[in-house]
Amino acid sequence: MKTRAITGIIFIVVMLGSFFAGPAVFGLFYLLLGIICLQEFYKLLKKAGLHPNLPAGIVNGVLIFGYFALLCYRNATATPDAAFDFPLYRYVFLLPVTLAAILVWELYREFNNPFSNIAYTLFGIIFALIPFCFFHALAYVSTGYNPHFPMAFLFMLWANDTGAYLVGQQFGRTKLFERHSPKKTWEGFIGGVLISALVGYIISLYFNELPWRNWVSIAIIIGTVGTLGDLIESMFKRSINIKDSGGILPGHGGLLDRFDGLLLAAPVVFAYLYLIFN
């Protein structure tokens, strides 16, 4: 528990520090987290006897995140027309080339089942990397660079995880989805969502970009959809009989274990905020 607590505090301080260090550090930091999550996901697949193309997946992941990060930054600091000035509008045409390279590369790999190898390489990018593009874009969903939205997202996500654990430990009786996550209960799930909603309301007292109803709605989305992300990652791990996706965080496992709720919730929260501001 001591190791877990120390690791958690250090990691939280580093993550929160990235918000205040400016757009460049914020973007690079979450690109790094996304790439590590992608690498951990590919390692899970390899333990299942599959053969995703890790180098090709990482290169494409960096390019996809980089393009959308630059687009967010340019849209926030320039006129709409300038946002598609050189090099961004040309840079996007690299993506079909590098994505097609995954197929060509498979010609030279000495593995069977090229269909599954290519499919899982692409699926890894979609599942483990692209959600970080949406999370990064939360900082630009209104006007300019505003770290309040991604910061609040993490606060509500952590509140949901902590609340679900504490309420489930004390009052959990009814299993939520025993086949994939035997310890999760309906009581813990409801408790996590309610505590996340309470944190959303508290956030509304300090971050005035949205009324309290919207912050609470975001908290409910994070609690509900984030739990589905947690269950999906548990399903993947249970299918190959492992507990953690990695060991980069002592006492916590891998980054994929810490951000499983973000993977599904970030795109949905971004869509919700985009509809509000546009």
Side-chain angles (χ1 to χ4, degrees):
M1 286 300 294
K2 182 179 179 181
T3 302
R4 183 182 178 89
I6 293 172
T7 303
I9 291 170
I10 293 173
F11 191 58
I12 288 171
V13 169
V14 171
M15 282 196 295
L16 295 180
S18 71
F19 295 124
F20 299 104
V25 173
F26 170 67
L28 289 172
F29 180 71
Y30 282 93
L31 168 61
L32 177 63
L33 295 187
I35 292 301
I36 294 173
C37 286
L38 179 60
Q39 184 183 33
E40 289 181 352
F41 184 73
Y42 284 154
K43 287 182 178 179
L44 290 181
L45 293 176
K46 289 184 177 181
K47 289 179 181 178
L50 303 167
H51 302 283
N53 192 330
L54 190 148
I58 289 177
V59 168
N60 278 280
V62 170
L63 290 174
I64 291 171
F65 187 100
Y67 176 74
F68 286 104
L70 288 172
L71 189 59
C72 286
Y73 178 74
R74 290 293 297 277
N75 278 336
T77 57
T79 61
D81 290 336
F84 294 94
D85 199 3
F86 182 86
L88 288 185
Y89 84 96
R90 293 184 181 179
Y91 176 40
V92 70
F93 293 108
L94 287 176
L95 297 179
V97 176
T98 56
L99 288 169
I102 296 174
L103 283 71
V104 176
W105 198 327
E106 197 63 31
L107 292 171
Y108 300 94
R109 302 178 77 215
E110 297 179 357
F111 296 116
N112 295 324
N113 300 319
F115 285 108
S116 64
N117 296 341
I118 293 168
Y120 283 116
T121 301
L122 294 172
F123 177 67
I125 296 170
I126 295 169
F127 178 74
L129 189 283
I130 287 181
F132 282 91
C133 297
F134 284 100
F135 178 77
H136 173 268
L138 289 176
Y140 300 93
V141 74
S142 55
T143 351
Y145 172 69
N146 182 358
H148 286 178
F149 289 113
M151 191 186 307
F153 180 101
L154 290 182
F155 287 152
M156 290 183 279
L157 181 65
W158 294 334
N160 177 71
D161 291 345
T162 304
Y165 173 77
L166 294 176
V167 174
Q169 285 283 90
Q170 292 296 319
F171 307 104
R173 298 290 184 273
T174 311
K175 299 298 183 183
L176 177 64
F177 214 128
E178 190 171 8
R179 182 157 58 96
H180 296 307
S181 190
K183 293 183 179 180
K184 281 187 171 53
T185 62
W186 277 103
E187 293 82 359
F189 165 70
I190 294 169
V193 172
L194 290 177
I195 291 174
S196 182
L198 175 61
V199 170
Y201 177 76
I202 295 171
I203 287 171
S204 72
L205 303 178
Y206 298 93
F207 295 169
N208 58 11
E209 290 86 354
L210 296 171
W212 70 268
R213 295 177 185 82
N214 292 123
W215 285 116
V216 171
S217 297
I218 291 170
I220 294 171
I221 292 171
I222 290 172
T224 305
V225 182
T227 300
L228 289 174
D230 194 338
L231 287 169
I232 289 169
E233 208 230 341
S234 295
M235 174 183 68
F236 288 148
K237 292 189 294 184
R238 190 164 289 275
S239 71
I240 53 177
N241 297 315
I242 66 166
K243 183 177 182 294
D244 297 320
S245 64
I248 193 171
L249 298 174
H252 290 264
L255 284 181
L256 203 57
D257 299 315
R258 296 306 97 208
F259 288 103
D260 49 9
L262 178 150
L263 299 181
L264 260 64
V268 179
V269 171
F270 176 83
Y272 176 78
L273 289 173
Y274 185 82
L275 290 174
I276 289 175
F277 288 110
N278 292 276

